[in-house]
Amino acid sequence: MSVEQIITGMIDLIDKNLVARSNVFSDALTGQTLVNVEDSFHFDDGQEIILIDYDYNVESAPHYQNFEYSRIKEVNNTHWITLYQALESDWLLSKHAFIQKTIGATPLYTDRIFYGDRDVIPTEDMAITVEPQNLSNEWLYIHGGLSEEYRVSIMIYGKNIETENGMKILNKYTDAVYDLFNENIHIHINDYNTPVLANVAANTNSIVIADNADNRENFQVSYSIPDDQIYEIQDNYGNEIDLYITSVSTPGDGYMYITVNKTDPVLFGIAPLNRTYSIGEYATFIKHGNPYFYDSRIDNVEFATTQKGSAYVRVAKLSWFGKTIKEHKFPQKSLKVPGFNQVTPADLISSSSSSSSSSSSSSSSSSSSSSGP
């Protein structure tokens, strides 16, 4: 695991949860409060959203530089949400309309989440930067448990520095990022996931996924679970974690047939899955990668104003840390480093005798020389 992977994973977490967008599944028409969406997974009751389409940047279009603000009254299920107020415009499938989460009626866009801080920040929109600050470590146990602590600064930049409303929007975004990372204490950074291709019934053990090179590499038999082979199944309604893979079949029909178990079947017998996982609810099979953060949180927040380029902007600086364990194996093997020759007792005796003889000879020579003519 590298610093780059951690920062990239944190940016992805912010994008999925704060930008959070979903296409409409059918036309959302003026006067409607019920909206059909592709996937409501990242949305909750009471959240603010905007409706927007691909005509936003088309000057001749009715929705040029225009979106419609609304608020979710209820997430009915995976594909339907109910709004508090009726729509004031048509948002059409043919125009690639979608909903997107917003805070304080001010959306955050994916291209405004930056890897590393910037000297110049686009002040017309909200912007977030994620920058590594420090890496420290300490030994936790023998053999080889090295605890590594990563420190990261998350900077949230807001516009409208002169207005009270601008400060409120920045504070709301700060609260949202603060809650997001503190609700993901055991954050996973390097996961691999693939869609489940057939419904999984409760009290069964079989999962069907696509047969391809990546899936074959990542989903393998694991009777005992090392840190890099922890599996999970989830859909929009729940999940089950820490699964064993007890068998993998690839008959050549384009599918992998995987049998999972919730305990080691050799020691404890068969333990099937507890519930049904539906492809209609976006069932997914996941391999959790390293690192597993056993502790992480945002432990400090600072508010200030700063100059970025020619502009002064409001900023909130959130300090995040994450602790993970890297296993080191001992004895450690040298890589292309010549090994030391082994010293035997015989070598020590021989060396001692040579030294003594040399010393006597030197002493005798010295004595002879000092006597003079």
Side-chain angles (χ1 to χ4, degrees):
M1 176 53 60
S2 66
V3 172
E4 182 272 333
Q5 287 175 309
I6 291 172
I7 301 302
T8 300
M10 294 175 71
I11 290 173
D12 185 59
L13 185 70
I14 294 170
D15 187 21
K16 286 180 178 177
N17 289 275
L18 295 191
V19 177
R21 53 185 289 177
S22 180
N23 297 327
V24 300
F25 240 22
S26 59
D27 293 344
L29 303 177
T30 303
Q32 292 181 347
T33 57
L34 195 61
V35 178
N36 185 201
V37 297
E38 184 177 358
D39 188 359
S40 65
F41 182 71
H42 289 290
F43 297 87
D44 292 307
D45 297 355
Q47 286 183 336
E48 304 169 14
I49 62 167
I50 56 171
L51 289 96
I52 190 170
D53 62 25
Y54 279 24
D55 280 348
Y56 187 82
N57 292 315
V58 179
E59 291 189 19
S60 60
H63 288 156
Y64 173 64
Q65 300 292 301
N66 181 44
F67 56 75
E68 183 171 347
Y69 169 82
S70 191
R71 194 157 69 94
I72 297 174
K73 182 177 182 180
E74 181 183 1
V75 176
N76 304 79
N77 52 47
T78 292
H79 297 297
W80 293 94
I81 61 172
T82 301
L83 306 178
Y84 272 102
Q85 60 265 43
L87 293 175
E88 298 176 355
S89 183
D90 294 340
W91 300 96
L92 307 178
L93 198 62
S94 62
K95 297 293 185 180
H96 306 284
F98 58 91
I99 66 169
Q100 179 176 321
K101 193 179 294 186
T102 185
I103 297 175
T106 305
L108 172 69
Y109 300 107
T110 297
D111 62 358
R112 294 294 187 262
I113 308 173
F114 298 101
Y115 188 116
D117 204 4
R118 297 289 192 276
D119 290 332
V120 178
I121 293 293
T123 56
E124 72 277 9
D125 297 308
M126 298 299 299
I128 296 179
T129 67
V130 185
E131 179 166 288
Q133 294 296 317
N134 186 52
L135 169 60
S136 59
N137 60 50
E138 62 176 336
W139 291 112
L140 285 186
Y141 55 84
I142 301 175
H143 275 341
L146 185 66
S147 176
E148 296 185 331
E149 179 176 328
Y150 295 84
R151 279 278 175 180
V152 176
S153 288
I154 305 171
M155 311 288 286
I156 306 174
Y157 294 99
K159 56 182 181 177
N160 298 329
I161 190 170
E162 302 88 358
T163 68
E164 179 180 300
N165 191 51
M167 173 65 84
K168 289 180 178 179
I169 293 170
L170 177 66
N171 292 164
K172 287 181 178 181
Y173 265 98
T174 304
D175 289 341
V177 174
Y178 179 86
D179 290 341
L180 174 64
F181 280 93
N182 286 349
E183 289 169 359
N184 286 272
I185 293 175
H186 304 299
I187 183 173
H188 285 280
I189 295 295
N190 198 26
D191 290 351
Y192 175 84
N193 62 80
T194 191
V196 173
L197 301 182
N199 292 337
V200 180
N203 298 313
T204 63
N205 297 75
S206 182
I207 297 173
V208 181
I209 61 175
D211 184 4
N212 56 50
D214 288 338
N215 284 350
R216 288 195 181 201
E217 178 182 352
N218 283 281
F219 299 108
Q220 300 179 9
V221 172
S222 59
Y223 284 106
S224 59
I225 303 181
D227 290 342
D228 61 345
Q229 291 189 358
I230 298 175
Y231 301 102
E232 173 182 350
I233 186 170
Q234 74 165 42
D235 65 10
N236 281 4
Y237 284 94
N239 67 326
E240 291 176 64
I241 65 173
D242 293 349
L243 301 177
Y244 292 78
I245 292 181
T246 59
S247 70
V248 177
S249 175
T250 53
D253 60 355
Y255 301 101
M256 292 176 64
Y257 300 87
I258 295 176
T259 303
V260 298
N261 209 59
K262 299 189 70 175
T263 64
D264 188 325
V266 175
L267 299 176
F268 303 107
I270 301 300
L273 298 172
N274 293 331
R275 54 179 296 272
T276 297
Y277 293 89
S278 168
I279 58 175
E281 302 299 340
Y282 298 97
T284 304
F285 196 36
I286 302 168
K287 173 190 174 182
H288 288 305
N290 287 324
Y292 172 81
F293 286 97
Y294 68 85
D295 184 15
S296 75
R297 67 180 184 275
I298 290 173
D299 62 352
N300 186 60
V301 181
E302 299 176 20
F303 298 93
T305 58
T306 188
Q307 185 172 3
K308 289 292 179 179
S310 60
Y312 282 91
V313 295
R314 286 194 175 103
V315 60
K317 179 181 179 181
L318 296 85
S319 179
W320 177 91
F321 75 85
K323 296 180 180 180
T324 186
I325 295 177
K326 180 179 288 186
E327 293 284 350
H328 289 265
K329 304 301 181 184
F330 291 96
Q332 292 180 334
K333 297 179 180 179
S334 62
L335 299 177
K336 298 183 180 178
V337 177
F340 292 103
N341 294 327
Q342 184 176 4
V343 178
T344 66
D347 293 328
L348 291 174
I349 293 170
S350 174
S351 174
S352 176
S353 299
S354 296
S355 231
S356 175
S357 172
S358 173
S359 176
S360 297
S361 173
S362 177
S363 174
S364 173
S365 172
S366 173
S367 173
S368 175
S369 154
S370 65
S371 61

